[in-house]
Amino acid sequence: MTSEQPNNNNIELDRIHIEILGLAQPTVLAIPENKPNANYPVHLSVRLTNNSLTNYNFNFYGIWFPEIIAPDGEVLQPHLIFDDRAAIEKPSVTVWRAKLFQFISNLFRQPYHLARFISSMIRNDSRPPLQLETWSHFYLVKPEASTGASLRSQLFWCDNLLRIQLPIIDFYWNIDRPNLYWSFTLKGGGVYQLRYIYLNNDRTVLGSDIESIESQLIQESRLSQLVSPFTNFHLVEPIKPECTAVEIDGVQFETIVPDPVFIIPAESPQKIFKFLDRTFCYAETYVKIGIKITNNTEKPLHFSFYATCIPELISADGQMQEMGGGSDRYVFPSVSDFELVMPGKCLIFFPEARILCFRGNLLTLVFKSGSGSYLSFNNLTYGIYHLRFRYQNFPQSLSLDDTGDLSLKQILARTAWSGRVDTPFRELNFLFDSS
């Protein structure tokens, strides 16, 4: 395989399907406070599926062009900008790790998760960078197969204007590319529509000035046949005066932190675990961070806590913290994962959460997800952070076991709440107890 752009002319482009993932209906995004460093991450991903009879060459460096329609029907004007703010800086991943991932993916064609796992296992390797610049940045998508991109975006205020920024490419594996984003000025709360147009080349961004790039990409987007359907998202003002909850269709969601000050003991029982040839010692402190759901509708609703509460953490300066995780087993969903909330009632769910303190006073915040896996934020330090839960439940996508649990199927079909809600952030304070 060469580094030249492969030929996709033999592909029936109307059989290449693009869709936006993660924006279940309804999707609610809390509007951030109008203050410095109040940057709210917006997790978006897209999937490209090859429904044709021949292979499709997907370009890792291909351009994702968003179109947004405001609540009043106006098509918002995008502006291409260079942004090097710490709040949306690229992940701290080495270039060679990204290129290694691409090489492994091309080599094995399809095992995305295996490639990602191998590259993550060696992310802390201190050996010199590998010379992989000659490997192709195209990924072969076979018939009936899929691939995709993670387009981590940002919602924030600037000059008293509410804005959203969306990356032109998936920066996670393209960290040697410039920080180019599409910027839109939003019109406050309401229901917006979003779709993506995919441009399977990167030649436009290799030269010209930013104004020329913007003009060329807009022209190319009007000709591209690779377009996703529109999907909706709701921008919602937090409920005043506390501004800690949002409501959609009579259901309120709020991240709960009973005591935002977490005191990490200087002396506590040490635990040890071994990974490969390394030994780690740490102390752990259990903390209470949860989500409150209030049912203000007129009918009973079931809410799932099976891998539905995704924590998001940002530092005091607005920088999003990378989330890791893992699993040693898989647990199928069951009826006990769904809590019934009657009209006018609420529930508070606290997932198991711990702070691990390692040598050197580095902290890790760990949550159990409910599916046999865990989510973690590593290399934290003492000080102020802000956390929220992204509650997302997609009943139609759950994988059930072979028991054919009729009760669970009835819940999923009749009373399970479905959608996604990004709640407002709550402050946390990690303090070191030196007494």
Side-chain angles (χ1 to χ4, degrees):
M1 217 176 217
T2 68
S3 59
E4 297 178 1
Q5 181 174 339
N7 192 342
N8 283 318
N9 292 336
N10 61 334
I11 298 291
E12 302 173 68
L13 292 181
D14 60 342
R15 305 199 68 181
I16 304 299
H17 180 65
I18 295 176
E19 59 184 322
I20 300 174
L21 303 179
L23 294 185
Q25 296 306 305
T27 286
V28 177
L29 308 179
I31 296 177
E33 295 180 76
N34 187 356
K35 66 179 184 180
N37 298 324
N39 304 293
Y40 280 19
V42 180
H43 286 265
L44 298 172
S45 59
V46 286
R47 179 168 62 195
L48 182 147
T49 303
N50 183 7
N51 293 321
S52 71
L53 300 178
T54 53
N55 295 331
Y56 179 77
N57 290 291
F58 173 77
N59 186 358
F60 280 99
Y61 293 166
I63 305 299
W64 293 98
F65 184 91
E67 287 188 348
I68 299 179
I69 299 178
D72 61 3
E74 178 185 350
V75 179
L76 300 182
Q77 179 68 29
H79 293 287
L80 191 62
I81 65 169
F82 178 83
D83 196 329
D84 59 357
R85 296 178 307 146
I88 53 176
E89 68 178 4
K90 302 169 190 175
S92 55
V93 187
T94 57
V95 173
W96 72 272
R97 176 188 170 201
K99 293 184 178 296
L100 179 60
F101 166 82
Q102 294 174 10
F103 164 63
I104 296 173
S105 294
N106 280 326
L107 186 63
F108 292 98
R109 299 301 184 205
Q110 201 52 39
Y112 171 89
H113 296 293
L114 175 61
R116 186 165 184 169
F117 171 75
I118 293 175
S119 60
S120 65
M121 288 286 289
I122 60 177
R123 64 183 179 272
N124 292 322
D125 201 312
S126 59
R127 292 175 294 177
L130 302 179
Q131 300 300 317
L132 295 178
E133 283 74 7
T134 58
W135 297 113
S136 170
H137 54 261
F138 286 87
Y139 176 76
L140 190 66
V141 184
K142 294 183 177 181
E144 300 184 2
S146 299
T147 189
S150 175
L151 304 174
R152 305 193 316 177
S153 307
Q154 203 81 353
L155 187 64
F156 62 97
W157 290 88
C158 182
D159 298 328
N160 290 319
L161 296 174
L162 182 62
R163 295 182 180 177
I164 188 169
Q165 287 187 186
L166 307 101
I168 70 169
I169 57 175
D170 183 350
F171 283 135
Y172 193 87
W173 300 113
N174 298 295
I175 59 175
D176 53 344
R177 294 275 142 164
N179 281 7
L180 290 176
Y181 290 82
W182 296 109
S183 177
F184 295 82
T185 299
L186 303 176
K187 293 189 169 184
V191 180
Y192 290 78
Q193 299 178 67
L194 168 69
R195 74 173 180 180
Y196 271 103
I197 300 171
Y198 178 61
L199 310 177
N200 197 19
N201 69 78
D202 63 348
R203 63 181 181 274
T204 311
V205 300
L206 297 181
S208 315
D209 59 274
I210 196 166
E211 290 79 10
S212 300
I213 295 173
E214 176 184 307
S215 176
Q216 292 177 46
L217 291 180
I218 290 176
Q219 291 297 323
E220 288 189 29
S221 70
R222 295 170 180 168
L223 301 175
S224 176
Q225 300 179 46
L226 299 177
V227 183
S228 76
F230 276 104
T231 188
N232 296 341
F233 64 91
H234 298 243
L235 282 184
V236 176
E237 288 276 4
I239 299 173
K240 297 180 179 179
E242 290 84 2
C243 294
T244 58
V246 289
E247 181 172 318
I248 181 69
D249 298 333
V251 181
Q252 285 186 19
F253 296 82
E254 179 181 5
T255 297
I256 296 294
V257 185
D259 186 354
V261 178
F262 300 138
I263 300 177
I264 315 300
E267 298 292 337
S268 58
Q270 295 287 315
K271 294 191 174 184
I272 298 176
F273 76 92
K274 294 185 178 181
F275 180 73
L276 298 179
D277 59 345
R278 302 178 67 180
T279 299
F280 298 87
C281 298
Y282 67 94
E284 65 179 8
T285 302
Y286 284 84
V287 295
K288 293 189 70 174
I289 305 173
I291 186 169
K292 178 181 179 181
I293 301 177
T294 304
N295 181 8
N296 291 323
T297 71
E298 297 180 352
K299 62 179 182 179
L301 293 171
H302 278 93
F303 293 90
S304 170
F305 294 101
Y306 175 83
T308 55
C309 294
I310 313 300
E312 295 180 342
L313 188 70
I314 58 177
S315 58
D317 61 359
Q319 182 173 334
M320 183 177 175
Q321 304 301 295
E322 284 293 310
M323 183 172 66
S327 176
D328 56 3
R329 63 193 179 105
Y330 180 79
V331 178
F332 284 101
S334 65
V335 173
S336 62
D337 293 311
F338 291 79
E339 294 285 347
L340 179 64
V341 183
M342 301 301 292
K345 301 297 183 180
C346 68
L347 70 82
I348 300 178
F349 172 73
F350 290 102
E352 182 180 306
R354 295 172 293 161
I355 298 175
L356 310 183
C357 181
F358 292 86
R359 290 176 179 174
N361 290 330
L362 289 178
L363 307 176
T364 293
L365 179 60
V366 183
F367 293 87
K368 281 194 174 180
S369 75
S371 61
S373 61
Y374 65 89
L375 305 171
S376 64
F377 300 96
N378 304 315
N379 298 325
L380 306 179
T381 57
Y382 293 95
I384 300 293
Y385 289 88
H386 294 86
L387 181 140
R388 74 172 178 193
F389 284 109
R390 183 173 81 248
Y391 181 88
Q392 53 185 34
N393 183 38
F394 315 127
Q396 68 279 5
S397 65
L398 281 180
S399 298
L400 305 180
D401 60 14
D402 298 326
T403 61
D405 192 323
L406 181 60
S407 298
L408 178 55
K409 292 180 179 179
Q410 289 177 340
I411 289 175
L412 295 176
R414 298 177 185 177
T415 59
W417 189 89
S418 176
R420 165 183 166 178
V421 176
D422 292 8
T423 64
F425 280 89
R426 302 295 303 271
E427 183 177 295
L428 310 179
N429 190 358
F430 299 151
L431 292 182
F432 178 72
D433 183 7
S434 59
S435 58

